[in-house]
Amino acid sequence: MYCWKCGNEIKDGQPFCKNCGAKQSDAPAEKHEKKAVGRMLLFIIVLVVVILLAGLTAGMFVKHTNEKREQERQRQWETYAQAMQKEVSRIKDQEKYYIFTEKKKEELDQLIVQILDAIQQEQPEDEIDEKKAQLDQVVGEIVEYNQAQLAEYREKLEAQDVSFAYEAELDQIDVIKAQTESLLAEENYSGAWKQLDEWNAIIEFIQNPNYDYKLSVTQYDLSEYPVVTAYVSIENENGEFVDGLDADAFYVNEGKTLKGPFTKKTILRATPLSTKEGLSVGLVADVSGSMEYGLGDAQEAMTDFICMLDENEGDEVELTEFSEYSYTVAPFGTDFDEIRSLIDEMGASGQTRLYDTLVNEIERVRSRENAKCVIAFTDGMNNCGHCTQQDVINVAREYHIPVFLIGIGDECDAYTLREISEKTGGAYHHIADTSGLWDVYNSIYRQAQNVYLLQYEIDENLDTQSVYSNIYLRTQDGHAAKAENFVFDTREFFESMYNKFLIAGIDCQTKGERNLLDSGLIITTDEACNNKDAIAYQSLQSIKNGGMGSDHANTFAVLLDHNILSVEKQGDGYLITASADYDISKVRTYSNLKKNDVEKNFILDSWGELDDEDKLWIEENRTVQETVTLVKDSDGRWKFNTRKTDHTVVHQVYDAEWMMY
């Protein structure tokens, strides 16, 4: 209710207006209604205006809010799209570091294109996220595939045999391994694969060299068992000696059977013989009657050859002369002046026992520890003896001893001499002009020394018989050579030791020296010197009684052959039963000779019955079978201790001379 006069709001029933004091009952009825209507209209108008203003304000607020929301949505989309594009681009860039099949690459590329198109078209994020999840799954499969392939590849490479690699190649492989690990950490799988390819290329280069060189084992030595010393010749495609190789160039593996399995052996030493190792030369001179006019040329040539030897490099020479007998004038040594003097004293007479002498010299030289060869000066006209041309070839081949023969005179048997030389790995030359001998001997010397000495250790098992070895050569520039299934019998150790023992004994007989006692081949302790079964005791007694080893020794022996019949383990040593085949030249009384039927019958056929004290020079072939023991001395070396002769068989008497005086 309002005052009719001033329009102020008053309470219902209030008689006076508190504002103007007008009495409400006095108000004119019409005026009061008009004012009330006006006031109501004004209120409505104000209310409408207020509502309109509020609506306008609200609309403007909503519009502003919507605009802000759209801007935020757009910002979030752009952030999402940029992040997605960046991630997809990263995956696309990573492709070059993957290795995969074309199908998998096509699948990967299609998903990348689909995602980029979806971003371009502003497709819903959940749809894009679904494609991204598919992409991540494909990438995961690719990574898993890459890792598996690389692991398999590497495992294959790790399993390859690189024993025959140079140290530099092994270092290179180690570098590749480190680089591979680094690339794998960076997920650069294609780069890691390339590293493994380089590793594989090195292995293929190692395992598949060009076998254009020739490797041949010329000799081997088991005297230092279990260390094997092999002498190998290396020739290039032009037949020239290959120098400058070291232990890294050689590889040796060993097996107990022809088919293996083989075990790699460490090369202890690989030395070109021409620079660091000596040469053992068995020098043989034919002084038979047929050499009467050619001996001077032979003497001059032999003297020239002796001048080429170098004792400082370990060269040594043995001088043997022969006519109807074979005689070692000077056992192996380095007193070259003495040997030259002995050559000057030679004279020609008698028959020609060439083949027996060559076999004997091969047997003598085979136990030397250097590279070995036999050089003989002869006219080749063999006319006495027990051995044949083929015997010489067989023995030389068995022991890998090359025989060089120098033909003397116009009538020499060049065909036979050449055949023996070539079939034993040596060479034949004719001495037509002594002025050209320097070139001849240079050739012989080079051929004998142009080899490598290889030393490697095998399993120390003397009970094992055959050992098969493969010897390989590979140079750093890719050349290679091999000698496969080279076989030797470890029993040859016993043969080599027995050979040395026999040679020392023969020298005792021939030279009247203490070769056996001083040889380092027998036990010489006080106990051995007082044991009747010991070789030391037997040798001392022989010297004391004027026999073998004394100044009165008068037996000449040519060793033709020897065999190890059995080897039995006996405590820490071995019991060896062996036989040796000799040509013997000796002085004996008839009382001793008639004890043997072969000797007795030969003498009876020649002269009839003789007095027991009559002496005869007799030449015969005999085989001695004996049992010896081999033990290790305190110095760690194998030596013979006891000896027992089982029996002696005289096969044939060649000649006998009744010494009437």
Side-chain angles (χ1 to χ4, degrees), residues 569-598:
K569 189 72 175 175
Q570 188 178 73
D572 293 333
Y574 292 87
L575 181 68
I576 303 170
T577 301
S579 66
D581 189 18
Y582 301 92
D583 271 357
I584 301 290
S585 302
K586 62 182 181 180
V587 175
R588 290 290 186 270
T589 61
Y590 179 62
S591 60
N592 286 326
L593 292 174
K594 69 180 183 179
K595 296 176 183 179
N596 182 280
D597 289 341
V598 176

Side-chain angles (χ1 to χ4, degrees), residues 290-301:
S290 60
M291 287 284 293
E292 182 178 2
Y293 299 105
L295 184 58
D297 291 342
Q299 289 171 304
E300 183 178 351

Side-chain angles (χ1 to χ4, degrees), residues 271-318:
T271 307
L273 196 63
S274 57
T275 57
K276 296 183 180 179
E277 191 72 19
L279 177 65
S280 295
V281 180
L283 194 60
V284 177
D286 183 350
V287 294
S288 62
S290 60
M291 287 284 293
E292 182 178 2
Y293 299 105
L295 184 58
D297 291 342
Q299 289 171 304
E300 183 178 351
M302 286 187 287
T303 300
D304 288 342
F305 180 73
I306 296 299
C307 291
M308 295 183 61
L309 301 177
D310 187 350
E311 63 178 294
N312 295 324
E313 292 292 340
D315 291 344
E316 61 175 1
V317 66
E318 173 174 271

Side-chain angles (χ1 to χ4, degrees), residues 541-653:
Q541 291 301 308
S542 177
I543 293 172
K544 180 180 178 180
N545 297 328
M548 186 178 78
S550 71
D551 293 336
H552 304 289
N554 53 10
T555 299
F556 298 91
V558 175
L559 180 62
L560 300 178
D561 193 13
H562 64 278
N563 293 287
I564 301 297
L565 303 179
S566 66
V567 178
E568 298 178 19
K569 189 72 175 175
Q570 188 178 73
D572 293 333
Y574 292 87
L575 181 68
I576 303 170
T577 301
S579 66
D581 189 18
Y582 301 92
D583 271 357
I584 301 290
S585 302
K586 62 182 181 180
V587 175
R588 290 290 186 270
T589 61
Y590 179 62
S591 60
N592 286 326
L593 292 174
K594 69 180 183 179
K595 296 176 183 179
N596 182 280
D597 289 341
V598 176
E599 294 173 335
K600 177 182 177 181
N601 291 337
F602 185 89
I603 293 169
L604 289 176
D605 290 344
S606 300
W607 297 286
E609 192 74 40
L610 301 177
D611 293 336
D612 285 348
E613 300 303 317
D614 285 345
K615 292 184 178 181
L616 296 100
W617 175 271
I618 190 166
E619 183 181 352
E620 64 188 22
N621 173 254
R622 62 166 54 188
T623 296
V624 177
Q625 182 171 314
E626 59 187 356
T627 301
V628 294
T629 57
L630 187 67
V631 298
K632 272 193 176 181
D633 201 354
S634 57
D635 60 3
R637 299 177 68 88
W638 290 99
K639 297 179 182 179
F640 292 96
N641 186 23
T642 63
R643 181 184 199 180
K644 177 184 177 182
T645 300
D646 297 327
H647 61 268
T648 299
V649 177
V650 177
H651 300 287
Q652 180 182 359
V653 176

Side-chain angles (χ1 to χ4, degrees), residues 256-279:
K256 302 304 181 185
T257 66
L258 187 61
K259 296 182 179 180
F262 287 90
T263 304
K264 181 191 176 186
K265 296 300 174 183
T266 301
I267 300 293
L268 304 176
R269 185 182 179 194
T271 307
L273 196 63
S274 57
T275 57
K276 296 183 180 179
E277 191 72 19
L279 177 65

Side-chain angles (χ1 to χ4, degrees), residues 161 163-166 206-211 213-217 230 232-234 245-255 258 262-265 267 270 452 454 456 468-475 479-486:
D161 181 12
S163 305
F164 199 17
Y166 281 89
I206 294 170
Q207 295 181 343
N208 301 290
N210 181 18
Y211 285 98
Y213 282 5
K214 178 182 178 183
L215 185 155
S216 55
V217 180
V232 298
S233 173
I234 311 294
L245 303 175
D246 57 22
D248 286 343
F250 295 93
Y251 173 96
V252 175
N253 59 19
E254 169 200 304
L258 187 61
F262 287 90
T263 304
K264 181 191 176 186
K265 296 300 174 183
I267 300 293
Y452 282 87
L454 296 185
Y456 59 95
Y468 296 88
S469 290
N470 296 330
I471 302 178
Y472 300 98
L473 162 77
R474 188 178 71 86
T475 65
H479 297 288
K482 58 186 175 180
E484 293 184 309
N485 296 326
F486 173 71

Side-chain angles (χ1 to χ4, degrees), residues 166-409:
Y166 281 89
E167 195 66 34
E169 291 169 329
L170 294 177
D171 291 342
Q172 190 177 357
I173 290 175
D174 287 339
V175 170
I176 289 174
K177 289 180 180 180
Q179 291 174 341
T180 301
E181 290 296 332
S182 178
L183 291 168
L184 286 174
E186 299 170 2
E187 296 187 347
N188 186 345
Y189 301 112
S190 61
W193 191 273
K194 289 179 181 177
Q195 290 295 313
L196 297 185
D197 280 342
E198 290 186 24
W199 184 354
N200 185 59
I202 294 173
I203 290 176
E204 287 186 352
F205 183 72
I206 294 170
Q207 295 181 343
N208 301 290
N210 181 18
Y211 285 98
D212 55 346
Y213 282 5
K214 178 182 178 183
L215 185 155
S216 55
V217 180
T218 60
Q219 300 170 16
Y220 67 89
D221 182 9
L222 292 176
S223 60
E224 298 299 322
Y225 189 89
V227 173
V228 175
T229 300
Y231 297 90
V232 298
S233 173
I234 311 294
E235 294 180 353
N236 62 20
E237 59 271 26
N238 298 320
E240 300 165 336
F241 176 65
V242 180
D243 202 354
L245 303 175
D246 57 22
D248 286 343
F250 295 93
Y251 173 96
V252 175
N253 59 19
E254 169 200 304
K256 302 304 181 185
T257 66
L258 187 61
K259 296 182 179 180
F262 287 90
T263 304
K264 181 191 176 186
K265 296 300 174 183
T266 301
I267 300 293
L268 304 176
R269 185 182 179 194
T271 307
L273 196 63
S274 57
T275 57
K276 296 183 180 179
E277 191 72 19
L279 177 65
S280 295
V281 180
L283 194 60
V284 177
D286 183 350
V287 294
S288 62
S290 60
M291 287 284 293
E292 182 178 2
Y293 299 105
L295 184 58
D297 291 342
Q299 289 171 304
E300 183 178 351
M302 286 187 287
T303 300
D304 288 342
F305 180 73
I306 296 299
C307 291
M308 295 183 61
L309 301 177
D310 187 350
E311 63 178 294
N312 295 324
E313 292 292 340
D315 291 344
E316 61 175 1
V317 66
E318 173 174 271
L319 180 62
T320 298
E321 64 178 35
F322 71 93
S323 53
E324 63 263 40
Y325 309 114
S326 177
Y327 179 69
T328 302
V329 181
F332 279 103
T334 57
D335 191 346
F336 300 147
D337 289 337
E338 179 189 2
I339 293 174
R340 281 191 288 267
S341 297
L342 292 171
I343 291 173
D344 290 340
E345 296 172 2
M346 290 178 176
S349 65
Q351 299 185 71
T352 306
R353 187 184 290 271
L354 173 62
Y355 301 150
D356 284 5
T357 304
L358 289 178
V359 169
N360 177 65
E361 193 59 35
I362 292 168
E363 290 281 358
R364 292 180 64 88
V365 78
R366 64 158 293 202
S367 59
R368 309 308 297 177
E369 296 181 3
N370 291 337
K372 302 168 270 283
C373 69
V374 171
I375 303 175
F377 296 79
T378 178
D379 56 17
M381 299 178 184
N382 184 84
N383 54 25
C384 69
H386 175 71
C387 296
T388 66
Q389 171 188 336
Q390 192 59 46
D391 290 332
V392 177
I393 294 171
N394 292 343
V395 173
R397 282 179 170 175
E398 180 181 358
Y399 301 138
H400 302 279
I401 308 295
V403 178
F404 298 89
L405 295 175
I406 310 299
I408 308 297

